[in-house]
Amino acid sequence: MRNDIGLTIALLKAGIKDWTQYNETTFNNNINTFIQNAEERILFAVDLTVFRKNQTGTLTNGNKYLAVPSDYLSSFSLAVTADGSTSFLLQKDVEYLQEYNPTGSTGVPKYYAVFDINTFLLAPVPNSNYAVELHYYYRPASITTGADTWMANYAQEALLYGCLIEAYIFMKGEPDLIAQYDQRFKEALFRLKNYGEGREDIVLIVTGK
């Protein structure tokens, strides 16, 4: 799924204009939005390990909150190490934690919840500066930032057709043509899913990506 060059933002923008045969100021000003929307389509449709991260940190004694990484989307696990033993916290909603620990009792945390966009809530409140490790699903950098992204290298077909869907929706294009690109996008996603289920680990080892 990768070519020898990789897909740059300049190549992708040129491809969108060539395929749509459209080059108008308002359209051009929205191309980054088309690309970002297409990236979101891929990100939430395909579960690949390249979209996962591990981050370590330290809880603060007496502080029931833990900062959420800026690129956080959702959790796979949150583990705390206390007295040389590592245990995994159970994810609950905020109301559960508030009912479980209404008085703010301290101890080794057992539960966590997404309190807001920037913060996890913990219960019990940490009674020491415990080490923690978060395994999470993250939002990778967009190719629109100039980054050399995994999608630009390995999901070029899906990225292009996702962009064309967004572009033709913006243009109020013919439904038949949008449906055709949508079908091609779904076929590309299907190949990505197969890649993730059976071939991803091999490629990651060989390429070092």
Side-chain angles (χ1 to χ4, degrees):
M1 293 182 187
R2 179 180 181 177
N3 63 29
D4 292 334
I5 300 174
L7 189 61
T8 66
I9 183 62
L11 287 172
L12 182 55
K13 286 184 174 181
I16 293 170
K17 293 177 186 179
D18 289 344
W19 280 70
T20 59
Q21 297 184 336
Y22 207 65
N23 190 9
E24 180 269 334
T25 301
T26 304
F27 177 86
N28 293 342
N29 289 340
N30 280 278
I31 288 180
N32 277 357
T33 301
F34 305 155
I35 295 170
Q36 290 162 1
N37 288 347
E39 290 170 329
E40 291 285 289
R41 284 174 178 261
I42 297 169
L43 179 63
F44 290 108
V46 184
D47 182 11
L48 299 175
T49 57
V50 294
F51 299 145
R52 302 184 183 190
K53 263 188 180 181
N54 272 49
Q55 183 166 315
T56 58
T58 305
L59 303 182
T60 302
N61 185 8
N63 185 358
K64 63 182 179 180
Y65 299 111
L66 175 66
V68 170
S70 60
D71 56 2
Y72 172 88
L73 289 175
S74 63
S75 301
F76 290 102
S77 66
L78 178 62
V80 60
T81 300
D83 297 326
S85 178
T86 299
S87 58
F88 290 90
L89 281 64
L90 297 178
Q91 186 171 9
K92 301 288 186 178
D93 57 36
V94 171
E95 291 76 13
Y96 181 94
L97 268 66
Q98 291 172 335
E99 291 179 3
Y100 170 79
N101 193 23
T103 62
S105 297
T106 62
V108 180
K110 296 180 180 180
Y111 305 104
Y112 76 106
V114 177
F115 184 74
D116 59 30
I117 192 171
N118 298 311
T119 318
F120 290 131
L121 178 66
L122 306 168
V125 178
N127 62 353
S128 185
N129 298 331
Y130 297 116
V132 290
E133 182 173 4
L134 176 67
H135 183 44
Y136 67 102
Y137 194 52
Y138 80 104
R139 176 177 279 106
S142 171
I143 190 177
T144 60
T145 67
D148 179 19
T149 70
W150 186 91
M151 289 188 197
N153 287 323
Y154 293 100
Q156 297 177 17
E157 187 179 11
L159 187 55
L160 174 61
Y161 285 118
C163 290
L164 293 177
I165 293 169
E166 296 292 333
Y168 273 98
I169 290 173
F170 176 86
M171 295 165 59
K172 299 179 176 59
E174 293 294 329
D176 289 349
L177 191 54
I178 295 175
Q180 178 181 337
Y181 288 140
D182 184 63
Q183 180 59 36
R184 297 292 295 272
F185 176 71
K186 289 176 180 175
E187 291 170 358
L189 284 183
F190 179 77
R191 286 189 286 273
L192 277 178
K193 289 178 180 178
N194 283 343
Y195 169 78
E197 290 173 359
R199 304 178 181 89
E200 181 184 14
D201 290 341
I202 296 175
V203 173
L204 293 177
I205 292 171
V206 171
T207 65
K209 292 290 182 179

